[in-house]
Amino acid sequence: VGCFCEEERRVRANDREYNEKFQYASNCIMTSKYNIITFLPVNLFEQFQEVANTYFLFLLILQLIPQISSLSWFTTIVPLALVLSITAVKDATDDYFRHKSDNQVNNRQSQVLIRGSLQNEKWMNVRVGDIIKLENNQFVAADLLLLSSSEPHGLCYIETAELDGETNMKVRQSVSVTSELGDPNNLASFDGEVVCEPPNNKLDRFCGTLYWREKKYTLTNQNMLLRGCVLRNTEACYGLVIFAGPDTKLMQNSGRTKFKRTSIDRLMNTLVLWIFGFLVCMGVILAVGNAVWEREVGSLFQSYLPWDPPVDNFLFSAFLSFWSYVIILNTVVPISLYVSVEVIRLGHSYFINWDQQMFCSQCNTAAEARTTTLNEELGQVEYIFSDKTGTLTQNIMSFNKCSINGQTYGNRPTGTSAEGENPFYKLDFTPFNPLADPDFCFYDDTLLESVKVGDLHTHEFFRVLSLCHTVMSEEKSEGELVYKAQSPDEGALVTAARNFGFVFRSRTPGTITTTEMGQTVTYSLLAILDFNNIRKRMSVIVRSPEGRIRLYCKGADTVLLERLHPCNQELMNITSDHLNEYAADGLRTLALAYRDLSEDEWEAWSESHRCADKATDCREDRLAAAYEEIEQDMMLLGATAIEDKLQEGVPETIAILSLANIKIWVLTGDKQETAVNIGYSCKMLTDDMTEVFIISGHTVQSVRQELRSLRCPPPPPHPPPPPPPASPPPASPSPPSNLMDNISGEFALVINGHSLAHALEADMEGEFVSTACACKAVICCRVTPLQKAQVVELIKKHKKAVTLAVGDGANDVSMIKSAHIGVGISGQEGIQAVLASDYSFSQFRFLQRLLLVHGRWSYLRMCRFLCYFFYKNFAFTMVHFWFGFFCGFSAQTVYDQYFITLYNIVYTSLPVLAMGIFDQDVPDQRSLEYPKLYEPGQLNLLFNKREFFICITQGIYTSVVLFFVPYAVLSNATQSTGDFYFYLTVLLPCTKRTPLFSLPVQTLFRIFPNQFHFVGSAQSTLLQPVVWLTIALATAICIVPVLAFRFLKLDLKPQLSDTVRYTQLVRQKKRKMGRLGARSGSRRSGYAFAHQEGFGELITSGKNMRLSSLALATFASKHSSSWIDTLRRKKHTHTHTPPSASGEGQMQPAKGSNLACGMNL
Amino acid sequence: MGKVKTKTGPLARRPDNSAFKQQRLPAWSPMLTANTVLPFFYFMALICMFLGVWLLLTVQSTKEMKLDYTEAGTCDRCFEKRKNVSNAAQPCSCTVVFSIGKKFKGDVFFYYGLRNFHQNLRRYMDSRDDAQMVGRKKNLQTPSTYCFPFTTDQNGQPIAPCGAVANSMFNDSFVLTYHMPGGRPEKVPLLRQGITWYTDKNIKFRNPKTENLTLPEVFKGTAKPLYWQKPVYELDPLDPTNNGFINDDLIIWMREAAFPNFKKLYGVLNRAKEPFTTGLPAGNYSIEISYNFPVQYFRGRKEVVLTTLTWFGGQNHFLPIAYLVTSSLILLVAIVLTVVWWKFGKNGKNMEE
């Protein structure tokens, strides 16, 4: 059995010889790429895969041919070596740290059972089939099969933070037969054989069988301890190594994410190709010139300068001259471009990391730019795809309402207005129940009365909540309970039950102990029918002390209501109404039900369940079928409603972003009503909207029908043009010619997952996109992670727009990876999304700063940088082209060689770099105040092919001036220096942040044609006044047209950013002019101004005064409004954080076994 | 509980509040408003105007005389003679006469000029050995390969100075004579030395160390360049210190010109004697030319130029005119801008629309 095409893995415990046959990977990991010997060749090989580097290597080779070499080789090798070594140093440091961490990990100690005794071994020496002992708080060294543990029932607890980022504890249990092998002696004689799946990257699945003493035992993920986990709350445990080193699931998961490139990158590559073509053209022109010249003139000149030996005719000479010119003109293809761009992006990334205003003090996390190559794309985002849970909402749950037996409780106006201010209404549970959680808030005392009275349904209702869950409890001292829930929903429900007198105390694998109305009751737990995303429900089967067997089920209402006993019809109707009400309030709902089982039924089912459980193939399907079988004919108890709190500043952020013409789509796994409601509460949907379309068809036809009917009012099938950059004038009197005009009324689209599946089919996607994009808000609910990614891809494909996906959970990873930019919210749901993201921070509201401030600046800076860069290189290089006509096309250089070498890397790089990193056109507050400033980026106005050609033309103009002005001066001059050609060349504007001087201001001058020793000539020439006069003249001629043009543009057609700057300037001046009341005056003008520019459309359309005032208020009075937030926050922590040592961490839900039924898709 | 958290929760990871990290560094970012741009334009126009007028006045005071002698006067004979390579060694001299109408006041500079001679070809410019020129003995014996094919002569002796540049050195010589009205012809004295830059004469060009040897002994074992009539140590028969690599004519020739039409300094009027103490008097002159340099192969022309200089150089009309034109253009632009601003964009009208 070769291990390369491993189909299954066989491991025999304590038998190294047997296991070595398979050549399984050892536990030594290597994440580093190089070692000392391979570093140079491998790294160079990688670097030369970059086209630019290869190009320069090619140039270098050309320069070594003496007949061609027009420049000495050092002009290329110096910059090339510099660029290569900078990259190499960066790679080397990265790799050094990888080596260090590898070493550290490989040399960790673990205790291995060798020949019956425990010995300390380094991790890298652990082999597959070894049995190792783990102690509390140790890292798991490899993927282990848990054999036994110090805790009863072979249980052990692990934390999987390094694996999936979830910090809550998880339980693992050994197979019962091995859990008895307590001590090393027994384990040493253990010779079971495990047959299991080959290494894979699925963290939540494991399929295998243990053969021991002629018996088979099924192994699941529940029996596995994966590498990267930490053992907690467990004294010690023993495990059998199944996968080691690179085969472990942790290492299998560390695949490289796909490399993202920005549109500017792609444009840059195209432009570089064009420039290269241009270079070849110039080379050809000059070579033809050379041919003609050599024939007409050069041949006559041969007595003074014979041709080089290999050259025998003018054509060959022209051929050589072509290559010589390729070398000389190489500075138009700038080698330092790529490096400079990277440096600039790195700088911008640091600014993001350093931004205090994106620091969340509650979670002590600063924003982090995890990818440093995407910054300028942040300034071009047109579509934002947002997850709902944990992104827009806090994912903090509070038990808010419930419906028990057709009676609804908890009715109290919810929402920000009436919340929390009146502690009078908050129920005090302590006199009634000493075990109550003091942080729990509930306001409806009728429910408490009903419990006290002893209403059976109410009791049963809370009993379900206290029994049917997977929460772990910890009781540090009597009555001080800490729940460790896998999802906040579950925590909220169990806490609610606790406060209403049904206290979950503790659990063992076979029992659940509760305190019901003060009496301790122990149920024996017969089965847990666990939650998964397909079933959307979970059940427990328990035997009460009286011996009655009952199945308790809670789950998504859609799923559960289908499985009720027919006699529930009436109750079901009432409850459905309640559920709809709750959903309309934006609450998360669950339905609860139970079923009585007879002993026979249980026995029969138990048998079939065991059968399914033992199956090796399709085990999960069979289990699901078995669960399905028993979860029938249930009796409805009621429903719960949990409130999902919005994050801070979400509505304001969304308002600002949509003013910046960014379209926000919410993609959520939640149900339609909840999603729509969150849409309303974060102001994506407003009551002023003309219509909110809902598409929820189940078949292709119905979806198509619904899509068509939306577009029915505008009859003609329109070509799908991109949405107008600015929303069209509202209420335009002209008859609507196409859909887009009609859209001026605001529409919103809500589409269901199952309809989306049809809408995403090839023949309908175009229709869907054009409809959806015409709507102001789009909400997709009930979507799967895959669909999220599909929607993103769809927009990427059809709209060619820059997309940004923001999410916080594992279900958003696919979307984050497929969008141009992925943003991870490091919030409640673990850090998988963060790990996959390009940028991460902890609050949704930071998105506005990331896009409108950092993104905008980055884009602006990058564009200006590129313009300057191309401009200066053309101005510099084209001079050679002109000179070619005067030097017989012989590829003579105008500049000194050192100057050519250093021009790009020293003389002109630093000023441009400084500008590229620090430039700001308007201050950050202004870009938030005027979201419209963001638009140039979306429309790609600042750097595109047109701008590029303008830069090039400017560069060529400059080169003409720079060449011909001195030429005219000097060819006319009769003086002792007449035989010297004074040369001027440009040093780029080095003034930081001075957009004014986009043109050569500082001139640096150079002298031709001494090959070296030019310092002496410079000394003599610089004393000539004519040199300075010429420099001044050339500079003036270069600057004036551009300056005039810019002034005209600014004066007649100012951009919004110019206007903003102007206002700023006026304001500053006014402030300076006098302290008396000037302040309020300038304020007023600022406000009036905001109306005109940013909010004009809104106001003229009369659509949304509230929105605009809201957006303004956010920034004008951030502090004054934050008290509400503080209050809200406080209330949340009070409600939902049980007093525990481990703090926030424990509230994080586990994705894999999420009980929040149907919520977190 | 929340309170406790914010208090005890360290803001350890909070980024520094420095102006640099928060991007609040002070900056000067001027706006192109009318207040700044328009005055700037007028100011520039004024400055250029002033410079232009000043330069023009200065230029007016200079005098220049240009004379193409390729086939002029009696030189047509020599021109024909030089067409035939076999006559290269035969001397030929001719005379050209000319007159100047107004006196050339002050220092007068004597240039020779060549047209259509490409000193700026890459291979031509490379064809020299600078190490030899600074007097390295090693390079004297084994010149750099850059000099090829002017490295060694037929006998394999190294050429000094080697290379195409030195080989093609201009070797006409001139004697300028003033014909005083009614007097006898007077030879115009020219300073033929001290016309190079200090850095050239003393740093870039040096003879090999003599060490009690005479110059011919030092250059022993080297050959003269192919087209030369005299070896390098006999270039100036009058002044032995002006021989070898530090010969002024050689140095001036070795400074390659940037364009195919160029002038190189031949000498400066020596104003020690009457009637030249105040410059070159008006009247008739003749130049006797020792006509050696063939130009017909490459369709070139030869000329001599006599000129006076001002503080910014010779008679250069381009610069003042360019300044004047630029100035008027800037003025025009400034006026147009002012009008446009006045009519359409005054006080940031467009800004507040």
Side-chain angles (χ1 to χ4, degrees), chain A residues 303 354 993 996 1010 1029 1051, chain B residues 22 27 32 204 227 323 350:
Chain A
S303 54
W354 287 334
R993 288 192 191 177
L996 160 69
N1010 280 355
L1029 288 173
D1051 203 41
Chain B
Q22 301 305 319
L32 295 180
K204 291 195 205 168
Y227 295 177
Y323 263 109
N350 292 305

Side-chain angles (χ1 to χ4, degrees), chain A residues 268-330:
Chain A
M268 220 157 68
N269 284 339
T270 329
L271 295 182
V272 166
L273 276 185
W274 284 6
I275 293 176
F276 190 74
F278 181 72
L279 167 72
V280 171
C281 285
M282 284 196 297
V284 167
I285 293 173
L286 292 166
V288 168
N290 183 263
V292 173
W293 189 88
E294 285 289 346
R295 211 176 73 137
E296 299 293 322
V297 185
S299 54
L300 306 174
F301 204 64
Q302 283 226 27
S303 54
Y304 290 122
L305 185 69
W307 278 330
D308 275 340
V311 184
D312 47 5
N313 61 29
F314 62 89
L315 287 176
F316 191 53
S317 155
F319 175 75
L320 291 185
S321 148
F322 171 78
W323 294 110
S324 302
Y325 269 113
V326 167
I327 294 173
I328 284 197
L329 300 176
N330 80 69

Side-chain angles (χ1 to χ4, degrees), chain B residues 44-46 48-50 322-332:
Chain B
M44 280 232 297
L46 264 181
C48 287
M49 181 85 76
F50 167 73
Y323 263 109
L324 286 177
V325 169
T326 311
S327 133
S328 42
L329 282 181
I330 295 176
L331 198 64
L332 192 71

Side-chain angles (χ1 to χ4, degrees), chain A residues 350-361:
Chain A
Y350 273 107
F351 281 132
I352 292 177
N353 294 348
W354 287 334
D355 194 339
Q356 259 194 336
Q357 295 182 48
M358 283 164 69
F359 173 80
C360 172
S361 47

Side-chain angles (χ1 to χ4, degrees), chain A residues 73-87:
Chain A
W73 49 271
F74 65 77
T75 55
T76 302
I77 204 155
V78 170
L80 184 66
L82 210 73
V83 166
L84 289 183
S85 48
I86 288 174
T87 320

Side-chain angles (χ1 to χ4, degrees), chain A residues 300 303 306 354 356 861 886-887 890 920 967 974-975 980 993 996 1009-1010 1029 1040 1050-1051 1059 1061, chain B residues 14-15 22-23 25 27 29 32 44 64 111 120-123 125 204 227 255 259 297 323 350-351:
Chain A
L300 306 174
S303 54
W354 287 334
Q356 259 194 336
R861 292 165 181 173
F886 294 88
C887 70
S890 63
Q920 300 177 352
Y967 169 70
T974 27
Q975 60 183 55
F980 272 79
R993 288 192 191 177
L996 160 69
N1010 280 355
L1029 288 173
V1040 163
L1050 186 80
D1051 203 41
T1059 327
R1061 280 187 60 207
Chain B
R14 184 192 179 100
Q22 301 305 319
Q23 306 197 55
L25 288 176
S29 66
L32 295 180
M44 280 232 297
E64 191 183 80
Y111 293 89
N120 58 1
L121 297 181
R122 175 167 59 85
R123 288 180 304 114
M125 293 182 69
K204 291 195 205 168
Y227 295 177
R255 255 174 12 206
F259 293 99
Y297 304 125
Y323 263 109
N350 292 305
M351 304 264 187

